[in-house]
Amino acid sequence: MTPAMPESSQPGGSPKPVHEIERVAIRFVGDSGDGMQLTGTKFTESTALAGNDLSTLPDYPAEIRAPAGTLAGVSGFQIHFSSVDIRTPADKPDVLVAFNPAALRANIDDVKPQGMVIVNRDAFTKRNLERAGYDEDPLPALRERFQLVEIPIGTLNREAVKDLGLTQRQADRSKNFFALGLMYWLYNRPTTPTEEWIAKRFPDPIREANQRVLKAGYHFGETTELFPTSFLVPPAKIEPGRYRNITGNTALAWGIVAAGVQMQRPVFLGAYPITPASDVLHELARYRQFGVKTFQAEDEIAAISAAVGASYAGLLGCCTTSGPGMLLKQEALNLAVMTELPLVVVDIQRAGPSTGLPTKTEQADLLMVLYGRSSDSPIPIVAPATPGDCFHVMLEAFRIAVKYMTPVAVLSDGYLANSAEPWRIPEVETLLRHPAQLETDPEGFAPYRRDPATLARPWAVPGTPGLEHRIGGLEKEDVTGNVSYSPVNHARMTELRALKIAGIAQDIPPAEVRGPEAGKLLVVTWGGTHGAAASAVDQSHEAGFTASHLHLRHLNPFPANLGEVLGRFERILVPELNTGQLSRLLRAEYLVAAEPLCKVSGQPFKVREIRDRIEAILA
Amino acid sequence: MTPAMPESSQPGGSPKPVHEIERVAIRFVGDSGDGMQLTGTKFTESTALAGNDLSTLPDYPAEIRAPAGTLAGVSGFQIHFSSVDIRTPADKPDVLVAFNPAALRANIDDVKPQGMVIVNRDAFTKRNLERAGYDEDPLPALRERFQLVEIPIGTLNREAVKDLGLTQRQADRSKNFFALGLMYWLYNRPTTPTEEWIAKRFPDPIREANQRVLKAGYHFGETTELFPTSFLVPPAKIEPGRYRNITGNTALAWGIVAAGVQMQRPVFLGAYPITPASDVLHELARYRQFGVKTFQAEDEIAAISAAVGASYAGLLGCCTTSGPGMLLKQEALNLAVMTELPLVVVDIQRAGPSTGLPTKTEQADLLMVLYGRSSDSPIPIVAPATPGDCFHVMLEAFRIAVKYMTPVAVLSDGYLANSAEPWRIPEVETLLRHPAQLETDPEGFAPYRRDPATLARPWAVPGTPGLEHRIGGLEKEDVTGNVSYSPVNHARMTELRALKIAGIAQDIPPAEVRGPEAGKLLVVTWGGTHGAAASAVDQSHEAGFTASHLHLRHLNPFPANLGEVLGRFERILVPELNTGQLSRLLRAEYLVAAEPLCKVSGQPFKVREIRDRIEAILA
Amino acid sequence: MSEAAVKLTKKNFESDQDVRWCPGCGDYSILANLQRVMPELGVARENVVFVSGIGCSSRFPYYMNTYGFHTIHGRAPSFASGIKMSRPELDVWVVTGDGDGLSIGGNHLLHTIRRNLNLQVLLFNNRVYGLTKGQYSPTSLEGMRTKSSPEGSMDHPVDPIAFALGAGATFVARTVDVDAKHLQHVLRRAHEHRGTAFVEILQNCPVYNDGEWEAVEDKTTRNRFALVLEQGEPLVFGDKDARRGVRIESGVPSLVDLPDGADPLEHGVAVHDEKRTAAYGFALASIAPPQFPTPVGVFRAVEKSTYEDLLTAQVERAVQERGPGELAALLHSGDTWTVAPD
Amino acid sequence: MSEAAVKLTKKNFESDQDVRWCPGCGDYSILANLQRVMPELGVARENVVFVSGIGCSSRFPYYMNTYGFHTIHGRAPSFASGIKMSRPELDVWVVTGDGDGLSIGGNHLLHTIRRNLNLQVLLFNNRVYGLTKGQYSPTSLEGMRTKSSPEGSMDHPVDPIAFALGAGATFVARTVDVDAKHLQHVLRRAHEHRGTAFVEILQNCPVYNDGEWEAVEDKTTRNRFALVLEQGEPLVFGDKDARRGVRIESGVPSLVDLPDGADPLEHGVAVHDEKRTAAYGFALASIAPPQFPTPVGVFRAVEKSTYEDLLTAQVERAVQERGPGELAALLHSGDTWTVAPD
Ligand SMILES: Cc1ncc(C[n+]2csc(CCOP(=O)(O)OP(=O)(O)O)c2C)c(N)n1
Ligand SMILES: Cc1ncc(C[n+]2csc(CCOP(=O)(O)OP(=O)(O)O)c2C)c(N)n1
Ligand code: SF4
Ligand code: SF4
Ligand SMILES: [Mg+2]
Ligand SMILES: [Mg+2]
């Protein structure tokens, strides 16, 4: 099936000329109560169905609902879609749809010069301008810098629903659908899926109101003089297959469910709500039919302790949290290192330190996750590159955890968590299937007798006759697992714990370079910075500056060939959303002069920022 | 006054020849109940009074009182004293005094070949041999390898006290004084101080028993044929001044008291008991007359939270803990970073990971303390080099904390904590005196307006009229300290936090090299490894292998000239009790090929271990 | 210069920060009433410190024009303890939520309460995690469906009053966000109390748990659903013409209808006494809907030494007995010896 | 092969590890008695898990020849909860101390108790930190002088029984380390109970707090100082010729001397009922020395759903209603589209 396109069955069918373009980025902004996230999500769905490649980025305020009309309450959603491969939500939107002055003020500086700015004229009252901190009406001045389109959305909306007997407040709630309908017309998107969704979701008369307003917006575009043309972004050439839209957090939750299925062990999630990780708990709580047990604990310590208990009892223990919760888990994580139990701990990083900027993104927990436990306590670390990759990374994390009997950390971030991309749904048959092996044989059993290949100890769980044994956080004697204070044994066990994790390097794919295999500049990335860096490398290349790109999914251990690969380049640039954490690791490990490109503003990289540095280096 | 020497007023006055020697190391070992720590401490005191340089190392079992006669219950105390400068408790004792077979078995392999081994013959019963895991009497075989001296200490002791009407159990308790008396004779130490102490400490008839047995031991040495000569270690040439013996933990506690006095602010200690840090709490709890407030909290989190509260309220907040407690403090520490409050957190490191080996030493929390908080959260780190240095390091830590308005971490370790050395008592007048400055002026006050030189914000405490303000863990706006989600501001504040700490490099002494200023090999150390490394460098030098030595007291920031100094050497060797943590930092920071010399057995370095590596490198 | 002399008003206690709770949030009313009460308490503004953890409720300090410390999740009682131990003259208020105070922070609350530091703990109970957008909390009723409990919460809730009594609290009270008079009265009482004053404030979260306390918030139903505890008064509630009383026998409460004009005591209705045992407080705590009304007011108020007083006394005694600490003397205490210059 | 069929003895429950408590420690007796009780409980050895935190008491699992997990300080209830939620068929015992369970671990204990997981919590109360060599603990009496409180502890102690009741415990009991018969009886009762069975065991630490419980440990004085709670029996204690009873009025206990042969009920002595309200349990908890004897036995035993049963039921219901989870179906749920090969 080719994606649905606007047909004549769609309201109208545009008589105006259609302009074909390669890509566009739109940002919807308004008050938290204005439904911007919903508008964005629906537009994303339609765009996905239209077959474009896309990337989205929501931007929530930290307050639940700040006072209406204030800068603190501005909520936004950006979508970037294209007929070619794209990897980021775009540096600057081409189109801004602003529902009120505060939203305009907070976002206008991001819009591309001469971009389109659509405003809800009705919201530009004196009171609202004041609340937004404007001394005078900003619109006149904007007319020169942008294609300003002023629409009395509020009035048009009320008009559309006036005979439905709604209160004014109810009526006003549908006005985001006006903007949505208008954008559907402007970009030739199908309205049917949204109409159907409205029908399912809302009771009458709200359903009726929303559907009418959606159509009203669409017709308005068709009819008004304000828009001389509409635009069409043709479907992208993307790998064939079945697709869906997915956010990082949903993919992550599904990856956990999938791990349980593929390893044939029930999953146990211990979690305590924290932004931006809570949604994973919410999502997983819906899958009891998979045998998934979710436990909202009293705090992060109890959450991980229960998860370690679950792993000890033979389930796939897992935890999801963010930085301020992650550091509370280190003591129990250290116990899991000492008792060598499989466990996956996910840190969905946010901007800090301390409470910091809870709804903003950062990649600054790498060193904490690697080193934040007392004494030498090595664990593997894996990080997803894109929202969809969160699914696969979780499978990989559980594979390592169970195969090597070790806790594994996954580093996602606020940007990956909330942004969405079209995701090719994997065939379940192609996913790694490796049923977890529990020890059952008392013959020759010892709790710390290791598999010579992996150095993993057996997973011997309560309920198994003949394997009764005791473990704990005191240093263990090699093989027997008894408490041991022997100096030689402690040195040996420290070494074994290190060797076991280091050995995983042989069991992960070698580092692969995109672009020339050697040369002047290698850009090294990890986590959600992948997209911006890849685009920057590509765009620079087109502009005549050739750098290579290496993305690290495994951060501990590094791929076995990494040192050798780094050695082939004159300079190494590491863009990261922190003060230079991966760079420090590469420098220490390989003694290469890796240079960080740091950004610590709570926001993901813009392609331009990385590109500028690449081109400066290569100039 | 020259140190007291054995005089004729001392019991006897030895008629046997006296042999002058430069140094000797003695280890007392027995059951936890045998009083080995007391014996060691008393011998240390007498030795100190005799004017020797010395270094001691106690070795406790992890159990409170393991079953008598078992290996798990062996307790030991080693003292190394000399007429020349020494820095470690010695690699291998010259003399072992063993109270039972288990103690012998656990320690015999450490004794120098042909060293003296004194055993309590009475304890070598069949039952005790079995408990120690000996199949047969080990003594015959030892006669060839050592100067074995078998003494029926138990019998001689009972004999000495038989008319005092003690129960057998009471009587047996004094037998450690027999060994002590004997060693006093053997090394020509004065017995008077111990006799006086006994008189003060014990009621009759225990006092009488102990004094008698002490003398009995002394006379036994004089009389018996077993010892043809006694030995004399002449006083060391040490810097003139008034001296005392001090352990690291006591020095640390006193350093905290001193900080309060010198900065004219009361001290608040929040602590939760944990080995090996508890003694600092115990010690400080005794100094209420200094206005010191100690608070035994319900856990480490409450302990640091209360300490941060105290700092916020204008006191000198402080915390003492060890690794497993340290990681629980990271969240509140991160808040102190964000709110820029002065605070000193001491981690007295122990062997791990997890519960690990609580009574053993390690230096493996460096990276945790540096990096273990969510997001980029820089704090200064200072580490004492010797027991006595713990005092001065605490003053330095508080100086930095208050001057720069920042939490500071101090890294001590189990070895420094419990070992003792003669310490030159500083003149109070020579100690840095810098009364802390509280802000009082509302004029132009803003909570995050910084001192341009230090970048410190003002210390504005509740109770000050006109300075009412609100702070917290959310990102703060530059200058005003209001909550701010601005991307630019977050980047700026992250930078300011980093710059402030980095700037301290200008305010600490430059790194100094002992030995040649440039050359083939530089040995870099931190913390308690100082002594063994310094001795190793000196001994190697005497043996014709010249390396230099650089000891780092400040681990973050590093001294400003460090990179330059490192660059002057061909190779850099970093002996550390972990898997290479400081080395990693040096490599990352300066891109020098620092090579770690790792030891992870719960024990401090032996001089020999470092010397061997130095000589191997230079050979 | 201290303002203590000057007569303060509510305005003096309003900070310059925009208040950022959702429209209709119960927190607004609590804030306004506390700002109204503050000037009456006779404490200079610079001596007041508000300490909070994390949650919607924990934003509170930003809006008070006093000293304020917005700390980390669940630990506010510990920060406050440190402040109070350090500077007993300060007037310290802890503001926390049902999640902040009873989920992650339960232990600190327990230990602060038993130590009986002289501070006020205001626990805003909306029976939900507001700030993280609506998960159930330790006080949420069993079966509550939220994002994290789509099939209903399985936790038996904890009762803040029972918890505080179990911790040995010397002052325990409950009041309601929008009942200005009662709220102010309870805040005043809490402030008067020497020791840890624990106050549960029933608070509406219109966004994630609207109407949880409607019966006692709504002026028209309040009489019927709230049992107002008053010292020395019988446990009587209900509209004028339909009064009911509460009996407590062997710790078991039961209801009795009171005929018009009847003397409650004659019907065995219990008489409230804040100074009775914790066991009585516990019986009161078990009076709860749906079977019973919701008691509001002071459950318990007894005297006990405060931690900071004991600590200060130890410091003073030490100085008295040993003299003020002398650093040189400390360094030279015990065995020392001199090494003379050669 | 399971040994369930085979008749087990105490020996079967002794592990091969050397027991390493101090000579005379009360922990020895508790261990021996638990090993004696285990065979009677009819649980296969492989289905038994002992979970502990850190402390002398927490060494317990090493000595039981079952599964054992010596975890980290204060968190044992959480590890145990994870085990029990994951595998409800396992018989899970938590061993903790007054420091481990009530100081650092108070919050986890609180929440585990209120969730009512079906497991046993044995809290060894020696009123001191043993393993860290003798600091005061949250149950230590005020004024206790220890290394960390040389001038006397300033904390008002927490009462483990009151704490557990405040947390909503469904089973609360107290027993004594060396009273073999009573200890065994209480352990059996705890095991029978479905839900969290909280047992405080008074335990002597001869090294750091010797004799703390001497009055109820010593056989010759036990009758006079211990009030043995028995279901349906009056609260009577004392030697045969000097019996005394406890009255409880309005939650306030008082003592009454019973003449020889007198019927306690006629003297208003309360009759013990484990199923009464928590308020009654609270009144019982307030019966404590020096004024009163020390109650031992089961304070409270009531029924309530267990967390793991509710969780299992949710899983089963989900499977019933939605069918067992199908990964492919999940991945394809909602809006999807196909990109055809060119
Ligand atoms: C260590 C840590 N874990 C989790 C969070 C996320 N968090 C912030 S507030 C909150 C719950 C707040 O609930 P409550 O105390 O009831 O306050 P309310 O918002 O309802 O007023 C949580 C889980 C955090 N900030 N820090
Ligand atoms: C995080 C952490 N903090 C502190 C400690 C040190 N510690 C070990 S056991 C203990 C107290 C034990 O007291 P209790 O629970 O009463 O057990 P007991 O030894 O008396 O049986 C403490 C403080 C630790 N192991 N871990
Ligand atoms: S989410 Fe609820 S508690 Fe939080 S501010 Fe909004 S209404 Fe108030
Ligand atoms: S210290 Fe006390 S509790 Fe610990 S083992 Fe020894 S006697 Fe028992
Ligand atoms: Mg709440
Ligand atoms: Mg204890």
Side-chain angles (χ1 to χ4, degrees), chain A residues 315-340:
Chain A
L315 270 64
L316 296 180
C318 185
C319 280
T320 45
T321 188
S322 186
M326 184 67 205
L327 42 74
L328 290 171
K329 295 186 189 290
Q330 298 280 22
E331 193 190 5
L333 193 53
N334 224 357
L335 177 68
V337 168
M338 186 59 115
T339 54
E340 306 192 28

Side-chain angles (χ1 to χ4, degrees), chain B residues 168-184:
Chain B
Q168 187 152 310
R169 218 171 131 200
Q170 285 175 317
D172 282 350
R173 289 202 142 191
S174 53
K175 68 175 179 291
N176 56 325
F177 285 103
F178 188 94
L180 187 59
L182 175 60
M183 297 317 277
Y184 281 166

Side-chain angles (χ1 to χ4, degrees), chain A residues 8 18 44 52 96 107 134 138 164 177 300 333 367 384 471-472 487 498 546 568 617:
Chain A
S8 49
V18 178
T44 304
N52 296 126
L96 180 74
N107 289 280
Y134 276 125
L164 288 175
F177 286 103
E300 285 87 355
L333 193 53
L367 294 177
I471 57 174
T546 300
R568 288 192 240 124
I617 290 177

